[in-house]
Amino acid sequence: MPEPEQRNREDPENPENLGNLGNLGNPGNLESDAQRRRRRAQFLRELTEARELRDRVQPRRAKTARLRHAMRMRTFRW
């Protein structure tokens, strides 16, 4: 593996490039925030869909999980 100073600064695997992702002074930051929210919403939709599919495919496990959750909620003190 090359030494850190010998790495190409444009290399995406270079950990020094990760600091540029959260640049708040970037004027295009609003667009990147919108893109991030869109990607997050898409991820959450797919995650929910995957959970629903798993519950349909494994109904016994889903029922057990529901009962376990209900028991936790009954014994939880507000």
Side-chain angles (χ1 to χ4, degrees):
M1 176 176 258
E3 293 299 320
E5 52 271 1
Q6 292 177 349
R7 283 188 182 173
N8 183 1
R9 294 259 180 218
E10 300 299 321
D11 183 11
E13 294 180 0
N14 187 351
E16 295 172 1
N17 289 339
L18 296 178
N20 297 333
L21 296 177
N23 188 0
L24 296 175
N26 186 2
N29 194 30
L30 295 176
E31 184 176 349
S32 66
D33 282 348
Q35 289 174 346
R36 183 185 61 79
R37 282 193 294 270
R38 268 194 299 276
R39 283 194 316 270
R40 182 175 185 272
Q42 178 67 28
F43 169 77
L44 292 175
R45 279 193 299 269
E46 290 174 358
L47 182 63
T48 303
E49 182 182 344
R51 285 181 178 156
E52 291 171 354
L53 176 63
R54 184 185 63 200
D55 290 347
R56 282 196 306 271
V57 172
Q58 300 174 338
R60 189 180 307 160
R61 184 175 290 178
K63 180 181 178 185
T64 305
R66 275 195 313 274
L67 292 173
R68 199 174 296 129
H69 178 68
M71 181 64 71
R72 267 196 316 268
M73 294 308 289
R74 277 195 301 263
T75 58
F76 184 77
R77 293 184 185 259
W78 294 96

